[in-house]
């Protein structure tokens, strides 16, 4: 087993610094052409499909998706990819239905369209829901990666938050959506390069006598390659059906009704470009997520043959070593070391049996027994760490960054950490731009100052961007003290995403649906999903299906009842 | 009053880029998505 350094080298810091300064310089440079609110919100509606499409992908890909899903693949396998099965179909539905309505309505925000179709209170309701959910979650977008990166860098969380937030705010305030989209293009290029680099490096780091086929056979034997769960149990999180149906509704709600996405593709230079940008995303998303998860699986195989730390989170490990009863600590350390060594030998025996046509079935059984022993040892370690910390310790999100820092050399660690930075900053940039746009278009110019003039409107839009950036940094810096409130915030969005989708469904699919039906239907949808979440163990991917269908049915019912009453009165 | 986005006409939907119609493009994306799922299933179960 080889020892590994656990800190970044000067070359890594240089790559990271070059990335941050380069992306800010690019954002400021392309933003020099932003001269009015149309430029600021929709990049002058001049984007080609590939630029808008990469921006759609970049806004969706958060840093925690990158580090979290690799960790998930390491610990539980690639089943999470099912989450995205419905996405390409959602893109088809949106391209054929909502996008033409948005585009031809000539709107800055999705919610503006609802005023044209229904009434102003439906627009206000949906925009308030967007600002509440996105405004709170933008802090988590910043906090989650800063938590992981701070541990890796040895920095305070505040310092990491300040760096990511200030760099992003600078170019989004200056250049608006044009800066967001072009920096997203660069950042997605970096992300794709980073993904391929990770897969390539993980393959090259396998021992000389372990082929890629052996590695995949080990991953398969441990269940890490399983992606097609055909179970019809609605409580299971990632099945083919929850992915296809629930994932499709979730993707329709997010890409069709969330301003942070709508604003990206409305910047297309024609309806064709906007449609193609969504279809482009639908085309690439599943393969991209597959590669990210495959990286996690290859890291899992890598640590069959190399020493793994007792805990991936360095701060938790230090706490454990300082505070755990020595005898307990020695026991878990010894068991982890012994079971890891046993799995190492079993994995080599499995590869050898395959190579030399030995008893592969027996070798596979031996490997599985060793894998189960190691899993039990890791669980015992986490339980001891949780006891010492006084809360549940789950360090899945630290697996990939720890691997990067300890095993990648020659600036590669800096490159991959830059990719994680890029994922965080691109998501943050799109969210800030859309929050400022919704605040300005749906509220400020309607209720505060209608005739500010072009210069005033642009200045106000920039100030709102800065405000939301500062708000995100504030929420992120306090998130550690919020505890379970973070989970509440994360769940908050899923409770009414589907309801907003239902309102848009009523708007474009049923010409007869009334404003009253849409407005009260939205509340019925939110109530339905709250009840389902409270009373049933149904997996969260189904929530959007429940609420969207409830809104649609209730909206039509209220419309019909209103019409019949009007008929009676008439 | 806030300035409107650059004006676009309903015929802004330019020529269909490939396959002759949007319906054919949607069908191609759907078939590709199903093919990717089939490849993932194959990857999961392949006798390595």
């Amino acid at each position: 087993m080889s020892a590994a350094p656990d800190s970044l080298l000067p070359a890594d810091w240089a790559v990271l610094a070059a990335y941050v300064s380069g992306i800010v310089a690019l954002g400021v440079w392309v933003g020099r052409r932003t001269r009015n609110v149309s430029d600021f919100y929709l990049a002058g509606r001049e984007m080609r499909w590939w630029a808008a499409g990469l921006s759609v992908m970049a806004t969706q890909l958060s840093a925690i998706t990158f580090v979290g899903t690799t960790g998930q693949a390491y610990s539980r396998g690639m089943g999470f990819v099912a989450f995205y099965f419905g996405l390409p179909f959602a893109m088809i539905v949106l391209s054929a239905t909502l996008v033409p309505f948005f585009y031809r309505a000539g709107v800055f925000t999705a919610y503006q369209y609802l005023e044209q179709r229904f009434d102003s209170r439906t627009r206000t309701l949906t925009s308030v829901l967007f600002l509440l959910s996105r405004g709170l979650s933008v802090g988590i977008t910043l906090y989650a990666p800063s938590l992981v990166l701070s541990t890796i860098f040895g920095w305070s969380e505040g310092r990491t938050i300040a760096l990511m937030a200030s760099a992003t705010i600078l170019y989004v305030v200056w250049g608006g959506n044009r800066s967001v989209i072009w920096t997203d293009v660069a950042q997605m290029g970096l992300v794709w390069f980073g993904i391929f680099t990770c897969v390539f490096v993980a393959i090259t780091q396998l021992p000389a006598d372990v082929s890629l086929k052996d590695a995949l056979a080990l991953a398969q034997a441990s269940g890490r390659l399983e992606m097609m769960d055909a179970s019809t149990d609605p409580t299971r999180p990632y099945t083919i059906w929850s992915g296809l149906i629930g994932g499709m509704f979730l993707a329709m709600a997010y890409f069709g009704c969330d301003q942070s996405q709508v604003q990206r593709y409305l910047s297309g230079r024609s309806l064709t470009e906007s449609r193609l940008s969504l279809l482009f995303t639908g085309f690439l998303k599943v393969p991209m997520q597959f590669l990210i998860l495959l990286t996690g699986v290859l890291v899992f195989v890598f640590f069959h043959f190399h020493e793994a730390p007792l805990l991936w989170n360095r701060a938790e490990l230090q706490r454990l070593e300082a505070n755990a009863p020595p005898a307990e600590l020695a026991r878990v350390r010894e068991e982890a070391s012994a079971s890891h060594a046993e799995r190492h030998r079993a994995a080599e025996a499995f590869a050898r049996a395959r190579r030399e046509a030995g008893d592969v079935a027996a070798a596979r059984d031996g490997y599985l027994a060793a894998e189960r022993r190691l899993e039990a040892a890791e669980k015992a370690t986490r339980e001891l760490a949780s006891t010492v910390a006084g809360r549940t310790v789950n360090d899945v999100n630290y697996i990939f960054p720890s691997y990067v820092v300890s095993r990648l050399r020659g600036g590669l660690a800096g490159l991959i950490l830059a990719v994680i930075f890029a994922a965080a900053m691109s998501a943050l940039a799109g969210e800030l731009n859309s929050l400022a746009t919704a605040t300005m278009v749906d509220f400020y110019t309607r209720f505060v100052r209608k005739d500010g003039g072009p210069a005033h409107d642009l200045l106000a839009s920039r100030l709102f961007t800065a405000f939301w950036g500062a708000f995100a940094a504030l929420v992120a810096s306090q998130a550690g003290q919020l505890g379970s409130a973070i989970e509440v915030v994360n769940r908050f969005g899923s409770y009414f995403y589907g309801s907003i989708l239902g309102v848009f469904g009523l708007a474009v699919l049923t010409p007869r649906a009334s404003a009253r039906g849409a407005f009260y239907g939205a509340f019925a949808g939110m109530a339905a999903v709250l009840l389902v979440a409270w009373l049933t163990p149904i997996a969260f991917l189904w929530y959007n299906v429940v609420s969207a269908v409830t809104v649609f049915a209730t909206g039509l019912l209220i419309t019909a009842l209103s019409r019949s009453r009007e008929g009676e009165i008439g | 009053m806030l300035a409107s986005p650059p004006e676009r006409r309903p015929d802004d939907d330019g020529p269909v880029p490939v396959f002759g119609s949007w319906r054919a493009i949607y069908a191609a994306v759907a078939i590709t998505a199903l093919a990717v799922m089939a490849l993932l299933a194959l990857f999961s179960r392949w006798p390595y």
Side-chain angles (χ1 to χ4, degrees), chain A residues 38 45 88 92 95-96 103-104 106 108 213 216 220 225-228 269-270 272 275 283 286 290 354 441 450-451 457, chain B residues 1-6 8 10 12-14 17 22 25-26 29-30 32-34 36-37 40-41 43-46 48:
Chain A
S38 181
R45 270 192 163 177
I92 293 170
S95 296
Y103 203 87
R104 288 168 181 156
F108 287 122
K213 279 180 75 176
L216 292 174
Q220 190 177 49
L225 298 191
E226 190 51 62
M227 289 178 270
M228 294 290 170
R269 66 168 60 165
S270 69
T272 297
R275 280 171 156 159
F283 197 73
V286 175
F290 166 78
R354 286 166 45 82
V441 175
K450 291 184 180 174
D451 300 310
D457 288 344
Chain B
M1 183 68 88
L2 197 65
S4 298
R8 300 292 185 194
D12 254 349
D13 196 1
W22 280 104
I25 293 175
Y26 297 148
V29 174
T32 306
L34 292 173
V36 168
M37 287 174 63
L40 294 184
F43 181 83
S44 289
R45 306 289 164 85
W46 187 262
Y48 293 103

Side-chain angles (χ1 to χ4, degrees), chain A residues 151-370:
Chain A
T151 306
I152 299 299
F153 293 155
W155 290 358
S156 68
E157 286 162 23
R159 197 166 158 191
T160 313
I161 290 166
L163 175 63
M164 282 197 287
S166 58
T168 312
I169 291 169
L170 186 64
Y171 68 78
V172 182
V173 164
W174 171 247
N177 202 11
R178 184 175 278 120
S179 295
V180 171
I181 289 178
W182 286 116
T183 51
D184 281 354
V185 169
Q187 284 164 322
M188 278 312 292
L190 184 67
V191 166
W192 274 100
F193 180 70
I195 290 170
F196 281 113
T197 304
C198 282
V199 172
F200 177 75
V201 169
I203 291 171
T204 59
Q205 286 187 334
L206 292 170
D209 56 349
V210 176
S211 68
L212 177 60
K213 279 180 75 176
D214 292 335
L216 292 174
L218 281 168
Q220 190 177 49
S222 69
R224 296 299 195 283
L225 298 191
E226 190 51 62
M227 289 178 270
M228 294 290 170
D229 182 352
S231 166
T232 52
D233 179 356
T235 63
R236 291 177 73 91
Y238 306 120
T239 65
I240 296 174
W241 316 116
S242 71
L244 270 175
I245 302 169
M248 181 173 158
F249 271 74
L250 178 62
M252 285 196 296
Y254 176 60
F255 291 99
C257 313
D258 190 304
Q259 179 63 17
S260 67
Q261 284 296 349
V262 173
Q263 208 165 334
R264 305 282 85 72
Y265 57 77
L266 280 187
S267 62
R269 66 168 60 165
S270 69
L271 176 55
T272 297
E273 302 282 339
S274 295
R275 280 171 156 159
L276 286 177
S277 69
L278 278 182
L279 297 176
F280 178 54
T281 304
F283 197 73
L284 284 183
K285 185 63 196 178
V286 175
M288 178 182 186
Q289 199 59 48
F290 166 78
L291 287 172
I292 293 175
L293 290 164
L294 181 63
T295 304
V297 166
L298 290 171
V299 171
F300 165 75
V301 176
F302 171 87
F303 280 109
H304 280 56
F305 306 101
H306 298 81
E307 189 180 3
L310 198 58
L311 284 172
W312 299 101
N313 183 340
R314 202 188 302 168
E316 293 293 351
L317 180 59
Q318 285 168 355
R319 191 199 315 273
L320 179 71
E321 289 173 338
N323 300 316
E328 283 285 289
L329 181 62
R331 185 182 59 76
V332 295
R333 197 185 285 282
E334 192 177 317
E335 176 57 16
S337 178
S339 55
H340 187 276
E342 184 186 331
R343 187 181 69 169
H344 185 170
R345 286 192 298 273
E348 285 183 333
F350 182 53
R352 194 164 47 248
R354 286 166 45 82
R355 198 169 51 243
E356 297 169 0
D359 189 348
V360 175
R364 184 176 180 277
D365 289 345
Y367 164 71
L368 278 177

Side-chain angles (χ1 to χ4, degrees), chain A residues 52-69:
Chain A
L54 286 173
S55 188
V56 164
M57 291 180 76
T59 301
Q60 197 226 356
L61 181 80
S62 71
I64 209 66
T65 308
F66 204 88
V67 297
T69 54

Side-chain angles (χ1 to χ4, degrees), chain A residues 476-499:
Chain A
S477 64
Q478 298 303 312
Q481 277 76 51
L482 294 176
S484 60
I486 291 175
E487 196 182 328
V488 173
V489 168
N490 273 335
R491 284 179 174 268
F492 195 52
S494 65
Y495 287 156
F496 53 72
Y497 247 4
S499 295

